Amino acid sequence: MKKILLSFVAVVATCSLSWGQFTFDPQVDFETVPVRNWLTETIPVPPSPLNMQILFIGSTDMVQTTDTYDSAAGETVAKEWHDFIGFTPDTLSGSEDLGWISVNHEMIQTNDMIGDGGGMTVFKIRRDPETDSIIVLDQTLEDGRTGKFFNVDFVNTVGETGMNCGGITGPDGRIWTAEEWFRSDPGSIYGGVGSTGFFGTEGVRDTTDYLISSDLPGDFDGASVQRFENFNYMVEIDPRQAKAVRKQYNWGRMPYEGGVILPDNQTVYIGADATPGYYVKFVADTPGDFVSGTTFVYKHDAAEKWIEIDNTSLDSMLVMNSIATRVGATMYNRLEWGAYHDGKVYWTETGRDYPAGNWSGEFEAGAVLAPHHIDRAAEQATVLLENGVIDSAAAAEFSPLSPEYADFFGRVWVHDLATDEITPFLEGGFGDLAISARDVALYTRAIKAVAESGDFSSVDIGDFEDDILESVAFDVFDYNRNMMSNPDGLNFLTVNPGTEQERTYMVICEDLNGHSAGRMPRGISANRQCELYILDMTIENPTVDDLILISVVPRGAEVTGAIASPDGKTLFVNSQHPSSSNPFPYNHSLTYAITGWSEFSEVTSNSVSIDKNASLFNIFPNPVARTINFDEVMDVAIYNMEGKRLKVARNTKSVDIQDLPAATYVIMNDKGYARKFVVQD
């Protein structure tokens, strides 16, 4: 049995109890240390005082359909792979309804009633005033459809959509869905996809040319394009009537995923989930009217950082990627979701393990590398040089174009609208857990793995023995702490808006690119555990240690879509493509609601302002029902009032206490500071 040496000093002058009785045996059984459940098959209950409610289940709930292909309007089961969530408030005077939820389906599937390709489902909700729970309402639409859930009609309006991934919720509740599924020829939309997920036999069966019908200025209306060229746009929908409005051909054809419309309801920022991913802006001529305006692409090293692209020419918009490359646009490593807060736009740059092969061609054709990637490459070169992996000549030439350059974890970056400067905001990874030592281990093992093949894309660090640095083990016990990897979904939650208790949190969804580089513990490589974090926006220069874990999705799933209701009482979240072996309903994609945020904000409102060198550490909530949290990562032990040690946790900011009966307890950290807390029924 492996042991862990814990040195805790049991003295707290500010407490009236005799703390000498609360002492550690210096040898603590390794197996007693609580860790995340890496094989979870369900969504665990979020930390108290939050609660969870499932609203919409793929392949289970029935959606109302329109006349599609040769099928009459009717009813069928919803598609799966829930991704983006849009929210449209009900502003009708006297209405008690909250509004409409729009859910993307990233799954590619042939479907005679819903339509081939991707899809989208909308439904209307109301809040129960007594319980704060969400009620899905019955509706009747203008086209006669009646029910709770409605398939968005793309087939009869704008042609099919492909792989509906991210999207945009405008400041007035208008919704766009993103077609991330970038296609290159007719065969690529027909083959290679299927009903069980991403890959199979069929996708879009009609591969004939498509005749565009559009109200956009330029040469779009009446133009004929190859069917695959009618995919990969932002597409506006009307959630109130569950039908598409238009494809935004004037924003360009790119593998878009995320987008942000500023409060002016005129300026749009869009990101492409690709390597390179280009950053695009559209400025409408008239606020709220996105038919006419100007399209730009971002180039950080230009005197005028936004380069205009002719968005009235279909030929130009069809090859937007090539034009961005040709004008020297700045390259990013997978731009996914963006969100606006306090004069700035934040983006998740998900990362790609070894991006050199993905953007070297565009670099040679004129595109430029983002400054933070150049800085990261310099840091990695230093690590490799100091450990004898490369010589000084190779270090001098090392760049993001070098095959060894790694971007395992991704980041959140921020666009300052006042200066048009883009800088990293929150780097992914393990925070302060031996960062430099871990990097040495990762890069050294990576180079060892590809010394002969040169294929960095195939590296899985978890396959190698721990013969480089023993101090970086990456076992499950290193994960009982924050570790943010490959951020994808991004949004903001403002609790108690308009009051003195108003508090804004950044909400970050993970979507792991892989299992390597410590993104999953050793021995758990069959499961990608994705987590939902929030970050208090009053924290300056945040790190992953400042994140608060809110939700963990079931085995195999991606957590995505997080969006808050305007009143700040509910956060809507998706669990996408979980393992089919999970118990129902966690074997399906689903949309769920997390409530209780007003109380959560109250118990955390003082946590981030506590001086971390103060005599006491901060705990919340107190009293507690499920999870007790602290304001920094630490080792802790929990005792009953007789001094018996009940739990030990290492390198963590929270402890699950659901197994403790209602009573008063003591929690002590590794500095010897202790606090009393109460477990309630």
Side-chain angles (χ1 to χ4, degrees):
M1 181 177 293
K2 188 174 181 179
K3 304 288 184 179
I4 301 175
L5 181 63
L6 299 177
S7 58
F8 278 54
V9 180
V11 178
V12 179
T14 58
C15 297
S16 59
L17 294 175
S18 173
W19 295 107
Q21 63 183 311
F22 299 101
T23 58
F24 280 114
D25 178 344
Q27 300 294 322
V28 178
D29 291 345
F30 196 75
E31 283 78 1
T32 66
V33 181
V35 297
R36 285 181 168 90
N37 180 6
W38 294 101
L39 298 176
T40 182
E41 297 176 338
T42 64
I43 296 177
V45 176
S48 59
L50 303 177
N51 295 288
M52 186 194 77
Q53 176 190 1
I54 296 175
L55 303 178
F56 171 49
I57 306 172
S59 292
T60 301
D61 286 317
M62 306 298 290
V63 296
Q64 307 305 310
T65 65
T66 56
D67 296 336
T68 301
Y69 306 137
D70 295 325
S71 300
E75 181 180 76
T76 190
V77 293
K79 285 189 176 181
E80 295 242 26
W81 287 41
H82 305 184
D83 200 312
F84 167 81
I85 302 175
F87 184 82
T88 304
D90 185 353
T91 58
L92 184 65
S93 177
S95 175
E96 297 180 353
D97 302 341
L98 283 180
W100 291 263
I101 295 288
S102 305
V103 178
N104 274 355
H105 299 293
E106 193 175 1
M107 172 181 280
I108 306 297
Q109 181 190 58
T110 60
N111 191 303
D112 289 337
M113 297 188 70
I114 291 178
D116 291 355
M120 203 170 194
T121 298
V122 297
F123 53 95
K124 197 177 188 187
I125 60 172
R126 176 182 297 170
R127 187 184 308 285
D128 186 322
E130 296 183 1
T131 65
D132 243 11
S133 62
I134 299 299
I135 302 169
V136 179
L137 302 172
D138 286 302
Q139 294 184 82
T140 298
L141 306 188
E142 291 177 353
D143 60 18
R145 286 183 287 170
T146 298
K148 293 184 183 297
F149 302 98
F150 299 86
N151 171 62
V152 174
D153 182 7
F154 293 108
V155 173
N156 300 304
T157 52
V158 298
E160 296 91 342
T161 54
M163 207 172 98
N164 298 67
C165 191
I168 302 172
T169 296
D172 56 357
R174 291 169 68 176
I175 303 297
W176 283 260
T177 177
E179 300 181 279
E180 186 195 16
W181 190 44
F182 202 78
R183 303 290 89 192
S184 56
D185 56 58
S188 67
I189 63 173
Y190 180 84
V193 290
S195 60
T196 59
F198 222 47
F199 302 102
T201 56
E202 289 187 342
V204 177
R205 290 166 289 188
D206 184 357
T207 60
T208 60
D209 289 352
Y210 182 78
L211 186 66
I212 295 176
S213 175
S214 176
D215 58 353
L216 299 173
D219 58 0
F220 303 104
D221 188 48
S224 178
V225 295
Q226 296 185 75
R227 179 73 60 165
F228 74 89
E229 293 176 320
N230 196 48
F231 293 98
N232 316 122
Y233 303 93
M234 281 288 183
V235 185
E236 184 177 0
I237 71 158
D238 177 0
R240 296 172 178 84
Q241 300 302 327
K243 63 181 181 180
V245 176
R246 73 172 57 83
K247 293 200 174 188
Q248 297 283 174
Y249 301 106
N250 55 339
W251 295 358
R253 181 173 182 258
M254 278 193 174
Y256 289 131
E257 175 152 352
V260 182
I261 300 180
L262 299 188
D264 64 8
N265 205 21
Q266 185 172 11
T267 308
V268 187
Y269 292 97
I270 325 167
D273 183 3
T275 306
Y278 293 118
Y279 191 34
V280 174
K281 178 172 74 171
F282 176 84
V283 181
D285 293 338
T286 304
D289 182 359
F290 300 99
V291 171
S292 179
T294 309
T295 301
F296 307 85
V297 65
Y298 183 75
K299 179 175 175 58
H300 78 276
D301 58 351
E304 297 292 333
K305 297 183 186 299
W306 291 100
I307 310 299
E308 183 177 347
I309 309 296
D310 181 6
N311 68 3
T312 65
S313 166
L314 175 60
D315 288 342
S316 294
M317 293 294 94
L318 288 176
V319 293
M320 182 78 168
N321 267 321
S322 298
I323 292 178
T325 300
R326 190 164 62 245
V327 301
T330 301
M331 300 188 293
Y332 296 97
N333 195 8
R334 300 189 62 196
L335 295 181
E336 300 233 32
W337 290 42
Y340 172 84
H341 173 64
D342 196 21
K344 299 176 181 178
V345 176
Y346 296 80
W347 282 89
T348 51
E349 186 181 15
T350 294
R352 187 183 299 275
D353 288 12
Y354 297 100
N358 294 85
W359 56 23
S360 58
E362 285 82 355
F363 179 81
E364 293 174 359
V368 296
L369 296 159
H372 60 265
H373 283 289
I374 295 174
D375 293 341
R376 293 185 75 253
E379 295 172 358
Q380 291 184 19
T382 299
V383 172
L384 296 173
L385 177 62
E386 289 177 349
N387 289 272
V389 178
I390 59 177
D391 58 24
S392 57
E397 297 179 356
F398 196 86
S399 78
L401 300 169
S402 301
E404 304 93 340
Y405 175 68
D407 190 12
F408 297 117
F409 306 112
R411 66 202 47 79
V412 177
W413 56 246
V414 57
H415 174 197
D416 188 330
L417 299 179
T419 64
D420 258 340
E421 296 295 328
I422 291 173
T423 54
F425 173 74
L426 180 65
E427 285 286 344
F430 292 83
D432 60 0
L433 179 63
I435 289 297
S436 60
R438 178 176 49 78
D439 287 345
V440 171
L442 293 175
Y443 303 144
T444 304
R445 293 176 193 172
I447 289 172
K448 170 184 173 183
V450 298
E452 295 181 0
S453 69
D455 182 8
F456 284 83
S457 63
S458 65
V459 176
D460 188 339
I461 305 301
D463 293 339
F464 296 91
E465 298 295 328
D466 296 317
D467 57 355
I468 307 297
L469 289 177
E470 183 65 26
S471 63
V472 185
F474 297 133
D475 54 40
V476 293
F477 297 95
D478 290 324
Y479 281 76
N480 196 28
R481 52 169 295 125
N482 290 345
M483 199 291 277
M484 183 186 76
S485 182
N486 308 124
D488 186 337
L490 183 75
N491 228 312
F492 286 98
L493 161 70
T494 298
V495 178
N496 300 318
T499 71
E500 292 183 358
Q501 291 75 40
E502 179 176 312
R503 201 170 198 84
T504 297
Y505 300 95
M506 176 182 284
V507 185
I508 305 173
C509 305
E510 285 187 328
D511 179 16
L512 272 62
N513 285 346
H515 306 101
S516 64
R519 282 169 290 195
M520 290 297 300
R522 182 186 302 104
I524 316 293
S525 60
N527 178 33
R528 296 188 182 185
Q529 187 81 63
C530 290
E531 299 169 329
L532 178 73
Y533 287 104
I534 64 170
L535 171 70
D536 193 308
M537 291 303 290
T538 63
I539 298 176
E540 297 183 2
N541 303 314
T543 71
V544 295
D545 288 328
D546 295 308
L547 297 173
I548 299 174
L549 178 62
I550 294 299
S551 186
V552 180
V553 288
R555 179 176 56 195
E558 168 192 349
V559 60
T560 185
I563 189 171
S565 58
D567 59 13
K569 293 183 177 181
T570 305
L571 186 70
F572 302 99
V573 187
N574 280 331
S575 169
Q576 181 183 178
H577 57 65
S579 169
S580 60
S581 63
N582 294 339
F584 180 84
Y586 305 103
N587 55 342
H588 294 287
S589 295
L590 50 86
T591 302
Y592 60 103
I594 301 176
T595 57
W597 290 100
S598 295
E599 184 181 354
F600 182 87
S601 182
E602 291 172 6
V603 300
T604 62
S605 60
N606 295 322
S607 65
V608 297
S609 60
I610 294 293
D611 180 355
K612 292 185 179 180
N613 294 316
S615 60
L616 293 177
F617 64 99
N618 200 54
I619 61 175
F620 57 92
N622 190 8
V624 59
R626 290 190 290 270
T627 307
I628 191 164
N629 304 282
F630 346 116
D631 57 348
E632 60 180 297
V633 174
M634 60 184 73
D635 295 348
V636 297
I638 293 177
Y639 303 84
N640 63 21
M641 295 307 291
E642 287 71 48
K644 180 181 179 181
R645 188 181 68 243
L646 306 175
K647 286 177 176 287
V648 173
R650 297 176 61 249
N651 292 327
T652 186
K653 291 181 72 174
S654 64
V655 177
D656 185 346
I657 52 79
Q658 292 186 81
D659 58 331
L660 297 179
T664 300
Y665 298 88
V666 172
I667 186 166
M668 181 182 293
N669 71 2
D670 52 352
K671 296 177 182 177
Y673 303 134
R675 298 290 302 271
K676 286 193 299 183
F677 68 95
V678 176
V679 172
Q680 60 188 8
D681 290 326

